[in-house]
Amino acid sequence: MKLFVLLFLFFSAAAAFPQGKEISDLPHIKAQSTFSALGVYELRSEKDRTAPVRFRTLNHEGGTKVRVLEVVSRDDGGVWLWVLLTSPIWVDSGEWLSAYTQFLLYLPNTAIITDFVP
């Protein structure tokens, strides 16, 4: 009986938390989409894919929360997005990036995102 109760609690708790999805599992990302990207990402201050990387995000527990301003380009491996941070974050240099800062972000198809709103 204890095993049954433990299994019930485990699966109930798992269902209560949002599950991440890969980009390839979701509808196409477009302008004004919002989501949280889990993992470490490179941020560029210019809309140029060859621009130097300005910051690298940390793997924040809640993810890097963004709103897509523009889909810059797509390729077989992922998508380049001009995004607006909707929540402040720490980066690997120890700097604090405030919300409402714009960056170029590359999300590979295997990126895990949560709270997706098309």
Side-chain angles (χ1 to χ4, degrees), residues 1 6-7 13-14 34 41 44 47 51 54 56 67 73 77 81 83-84 90 92 96 102-103 105 108 112 115-116:
M1 184 66 177
L6 287 174
L7 287 174
T34 60
Y41 296 98
R44 292 169 169 80
K47 281 190 200 179
R54 180 92 189 270
R56 283 187 181 78
R67 165 165 288 159
S73 67
L81 304 169
V83 299
L84 179 73
W90 290 103
D92 66 349
W96 177 254
Q102 297 178 13
F103 292 104
L105 170 71
I112 303 298
D115 305 325
F116 179 76

Side-chain angles (χ1 to χ4, degrees), residues 1 3 7 21-22 25 31 33 37 39-41 44 63 77 82-84 102 105-106 110-111 113:
M1 184 66 177
L3 180 60
L7 287 174
K21 295 193 179 277
E22 289 185 4
D25 293 341
S33 296
V40 177
Y41 296 98
R44 292 169 169 80
W82 186 247
V83 299
L84 179 73
Q102 297 178 13
L105 170 71
Y106 180 74
T110 57
I113 63 175

Side-chain angles (χ1 to χ4, degrees), residues 1-60:
M1 184 66 177
K2 288 182 183 179
L3 180 60
F4 175 75
V5 171
L6 287 174
L7 287 174
F8 176 77
L9 290 174
F10 173 77
F11 287 112
S12 297
F17 293 101
Q19 302 297 313
K21 295 193 179 277
E22 289 185 4
I23 290 178
S24 57
D25 293 341
L26 296 171
H28 293 288
I29 292 176
K30 58 186 179 201
Q32 301 307 312
S33 296
T34 60
F35 56 86
S36 296
L38 303 177
V40 177
Y41 296 98
E42 296 178 340
L43 302 174
R44 292 169 169 80
S45 296
E46 302 169 30
K47 281 190 200 179
D48 179 9
R49 298 176 358 179
T50 61
V53 173
R54 180 92 189 270
F55 303 104
R56 283 187 181 78
T57 66
L58 299 176
N59 191 7
H60 294 279

